[in-house]
Amino acid sequence: MLVWMLRKVMTDKGIWSGAHLARLLQEKSGYRLSAPSVSALLLGQPKQMKAETLDALCTALDCTPNDLWVHTPNKIKGA
């Protein structure tokens, strides 16, 4: 299972709001996300994501995809 860690990455870097994240995306990567899109990223785990969005997040937050997603293997029943 993949776990979305955007809020933790943001908190670790002192970023407390979606507006701040949107500004960083624009300033550091030239990438614009609408307010509803930023909100969706903050409120839940994305079901899909464009590679350019992931790249912009990593650039703006100075992180890697491994920081934004954590893989936890599913436990098999009876194992």
Side-chain angles (χ1 to χ4, degrees):
M1 172 170 75
L2 288 173
V3 180
W4 184 233
M5 303 296 291
L6 176 61
R7 282 193 175 269
K8 181 184 182 323
V9 171
M10 288 173 59
T11 300
D12 290 348
K13 296 184 180 288
I15 302 163
W16 305 105
S17 70
H20 189 177
L21 176 61
R23 277 192 308 276
L24 283 175
L25 284 166
Q26 179 64 39
E27 291 168 6
K28 291 189 171 186
S29 65
Y31 192 75
R32 281 189 180 235
L33 272 181
S34 67
S37 294
V38 171
S39 181
L41 289 174
L42 294 173
L43 292 176
Q45 183 161 312
K47 293 181 180 170
Q48 61 184 8
M49 181 178 291
K50 292 180 182 177
E52 75 180 310
T53 302
L54 182 58
D55 181 55
L57 285 167
C58 290
T59 299
L61 296 170
D62 190 30
C63 67
T64 69
N66 286 342
D67 298 319
L68 292 171
W69 295 97
V70 174
H71 180 258
T72 306
N74 291 330
K75 293 186 179 183
I76 299 172
K77 290 182 180 179

